[in-house]
Amino acid sequence: MKKLLAINVSLVFLSYLALHDFTLAYQQKDFIRLILTNHCPRCELTFVNLNEVVLNDADLTGANLNWAQLRKAELNGTLLRDTTLIGADLSKVEMQNIDLRDPNFWAANLSGSTIRNIDLSGINFKRAIFRKARLDEVVLNNADLFAADLHGAKLSKVKLQGATLDLANLSEAKLIEVDLQKATLRGSRLRQVDLDRVSLEAADLSMSYLRGANLRSANLKRARLVGADLRNADLRNADLRDVNLTGAHFCDTIMPDGVMKNDDC
């Protein structure tokens, strides 16, 4: 019985790989071509080890880099149009001025990475990891960051208009001049997040965990905070015009006028 179960599990795994066009190893000729020429469009590089490799200005258009190891790689000016990077390890990479169009970063690890001056609008970052990453002047409008992990990340002048951040983790993250207008952060974890002067106009933060969050001078006009946990949050000088606070929880919460609200202590 155990042997039959093991066989069934193996068959399911192989079927999953087949359906998702995954392969179990990269093509050696493609790897050599990339290293020698810095030019490898549509190459098969699944599981390849490119840790600490300089790939500045490389052409990886349409390449398959699923589950590739790119830790501490340099990707400045790299062409990544239609490139798939599902589950790739991009921790501590440097990414700047990259040419992107429809890449897939589902579950990719970008922890500790530095990302600057890139348009990542509409890109799939579902379940991606950005722990302690630094994003400067990055455009992520309408990007899908469902269940992404941005714990301790620092975002400066990042545009996230209309982005999906439902169930995302932004605990202890620092957001400076970030635009989250009309973004959805339903059920997201925002414990002790710094949202000072951030725009959350018309954003949906229903059921989000904002305990200890810094929301001083934040723009929350027309935002939804239904059932949100705002205990120990600081809302001094925040714009709460037309905000929906139905069922929100308050304890040691500093309201815009500086008065402490303790309805749920």
Side-chain angles (χ1 to χ4, degrees):
M1 186 65 182
K2 289 183 179 180
K3 185 180 290 186
L4 181 60
L5 180 61
I7 292 171
N8 286 337
V9 170
S10 298
L11 287 172
V12 169
F13 176 68
L14 290 171
S15 299
Y16 179 81
L17 292 175
L19 287 170
H20 290 77
D21 196 27
F22 291 163
T23 56
L24 294 175
Y26 62 89
Q27 295 292 322
Q28 188 72 26
K29 61 180 178 62
D30 287 345
F31 172 69
I32 294 171
R33 177 185 175 191
L34 174 61
I35 298 301
L36 292 178
T37 69
N38 213 32
H39 183 83
C40 208
R42 291 172 293 282
C43 284
E44 175 52 64
L45 296 164
T46 304
F47 292 110
V48 72
N49 187 340
L50 293 166
N51 288 336
E52 302 186 42
V53 174
V54 177
L55 293 168
N56 296 334
D57 302 312
D59 185 354
L60 288 162
T61 302
N64 183 354
L65 283 155
N66 293 334
W67 314 106
Q69 299 296 310
L70 289 148
R71 184 179 174 85
K72 293 185 179 180
E74 292 185 26
L75 297 167
N76 300 315
T78 306
L79 291 176
L80 292 172
R81 296 178 186 173
D82 301 309
T83 304
T84 58
L85 291 130
I86 294 172
D89 184 357
L90 292 150
S91 54
K92 298 185 178 180
V93 299
E94 292 184 20
M95 298 172 68
Q96 185 169 259
N97 301 318
I98 290 177
D99 189 345
L100 291 162
R101 186 181 62 205
D102 297 325
N104 191 341
F105 286 91
W106 182 85
N109 182 8
L110 293 114
S111 296
S113 59
T114 301
I115 306 172
R116 295 190 179 98
N117 304 311
I118 302 175
D119 189 346
L120 300 169
S121 297
I123 289 176
N124 181 6
F125 284 104
K126 286 182 180 178
R127 302 187 184 280
I129 304 169
F130 290 88
R131 280 185 165 250
K132 296 185 177 179
R134 178 167 185 150
L135 283 71
D136 296 324
E137 299 186 39
V138 175
V139 180
L140 283 158
N141 294 336
N142 301 309
D144 191 345
L145 289 131
F146 174 83
D149 188 353
L150 292 103
H151 186 281
K154 184 175 181 179
L155 284 67
S156 177
K157 298 181 179 179
V158 173
K159 294 183 179 180
L160 282 154
Q161 291 185 18
T164 299
L165 288 140
D166 297 334
L167 301 181
N169 180 12
L170 287 96
S171 295
E172 300 181 27
K174 184 174 180 63
L175 282 64
I176 304 167
E177 296 182 48
V178 171
D179 187 352
L180 281 154
Q181 290 186 58
K182 297 182 179 179
T184 62
L185 296 101
R186 295 180 292 256
S188 57
R189 285 171 287 167
L190 296 140
R191 181 180 57 84
Q192 296 182 347
V193 66
D194 189 347
L195 295 166
D196 188 3
R197 295 188 297 276
V198 166
S199 178
L200 286 155
E201 184 172 345
D204 190 350
L205 294 104
S206 299
M207 305 305 294
S208 58
Y209 186 87
L210 283 150
R211 185 174 290 196
N214 176 16
L215 289 155
R216 295 181 66 168
S217 301
N219 179 7
L220 288 158
K221 187 167 58 177
R222 295 186 294 112
R224 285 177 56 83
L225 286 144
V226 176
D229 188 343
L230 288 160
R231 285 173 280 193
N232 300 110
D234 188 347
L235 289 154
R236 276 176 286 185
N237 299 313
D239 188 344
L240 297 182
R241 285 177 292 172
D242 300 317
V243 68
N244 188 341
L245 289 164
T246 304
H249 304 283
F250 302 92
C251 182
D252 293 331
T253 307
I254 306 175
M255 299 306 288
D257 57 4
V259 175
M260 194 81 74
K261 191 174 178 69
N262 292 306
D263 294 2
D264 302 288
C265 289

